[in-house]
Amino acid sequence: MDEEPSTSSGIKRHIPQELQDDIDLIAAKRPHEEVKQIDLDDNQKRHLVVGICLQSVLTPALRKYVHSIFTVLYSELVNKYKIDTQIYPTHLQKDPNTEAVLNYEAVNNNKAIHDKCDTKYDYTIKNAVELSKLFLETHKTHYEEFDKTLNSFALLELIVKLAGLIKF
């Protein structure tokens, strides 16, 4: 039998008839199962709604708020502690307002370049975004701005760490 070549993703290929017959036979032996629709219970629906609200309503508003807080904090730390020009070993090790330990591994690509050799780290903090990364664990700092790349979990952690600075 002469068949048209089958196409998948624009690639033409010929399936020999014997092979196609074997495929059809195997497919016919498998029982066909109906897909069951899974209904969410009320608690799961509530969690889903809260998650959507957190992601699409609350998080964008909090990003703007955190951005302004870190901008002010950055200016303050530049003026008082010169964090934009600091070097080892005189760098700021704890936030003077919250006593949070600062993670310099998370900024200036320090972990990738110098791994755990903190004497070689670049301790200069160039902007408010880099300052915010000092308050998080290294694996949570893969963002470049206070935008969608700053996820909800990291954002909430920043808020918790700076709770003493935030005036509600």
Side-chain angles (χ1 to χ4, degrees):
M1 298 181 110
D2 216 11
E3 289 186 33
E4 289 292 315
S6 64
T7 60
S8 174
S9 305
I11 300 173
K12 293 184 178 185
R13 58 190 151 150
H14 296 280
I15 299 176
Q17 188 58 42
E18 314 80 57
L19 181 57
Q20 186 62 50
D21 291 340
D22 289 343
I23 292 170
D24 293 339
L25 185 62
I26 293 169
K29 288 180 181 177
R30 284 196 50 99
H32 296 289
E33 298 176 17
E34 278 189 39
V35 176
K36 297 177 184 174
Q37 289 187 346
I38 298 176
D39 220 4
L40 299 175
D41 65 31
D42 287 342
N43 205 28
Q44 290 171 318
K45 289 177 185 175
R46 279 189 216 95
H47 281 100
L48 187 59
V49 169
V50 168
I52 291 169
C53 290
L54 175 67
Q55 192 63 32
S56 61
V57 178
L58 189 60
T59 298
L62 289 175
R63 280 189 192 114
K64 291 177 188 173
Y65 192 63
V66 167
H67 180 350
S68 64
I69 290 170
F70 273 102
T71 302
V72 170
L73 181 60
Y74 178 73
S75 296
E76 180 183 309
L77 293 176
V78 166
N79 290 334
K80 288 184 181 177
Y81 300 98
K82 308 291 185 224
I83 64 166
D84 58 333
T85 58
Q86 64 185 353
I87 58 172
Y88 182 85
T90 58
H91 63 285
L92 193 62
Q93 295 178 0
K94 289 185 177 182
D95 176 54
N97 300 305
T98 63
E99 292 298 312
V101 175
L102 302 176
N103 177 18
Y104 287 95
E105 185 178 86
V107 296
N108 300 324
N109 214 15
N110 282 332
K111 181 174 178 155
I113 296 171
H114 305 294
D115 196 30
K116 299 284 183 188
C117 187
D118 60 345
T119 58
K120 294 181 180 181
Y121 283 1
D122 178 1
Y123 288 96
T124 60
I125 305 302
K126 299 168 184 82
N127 56 46
V129 174
E130 293 298 310
L131 176 63
S132 71
K133 292 178 181 183
L134 293 177
F135 291 87
L136 297 173
E137 296 172 55
T138 307
H139 68 277
K140 296 178 183 177
T141 60
H142 300 289
Y143 57 94
E144 298 300 320
E145 292 293 329
F146 293 112
D147 59 7
K148 290 181 180 181
T149 59
L150 172 58
N151 69 44
S152 302
F153 301 107
L155 182 64
L156 292 173
E157 188 172 335
L158 286 173
I159 291 171
V160 168
K161 294 227 175 161
L162 295 176
L165 294 177
I166 300 172
K167 306 290 185 226
F168 292 102

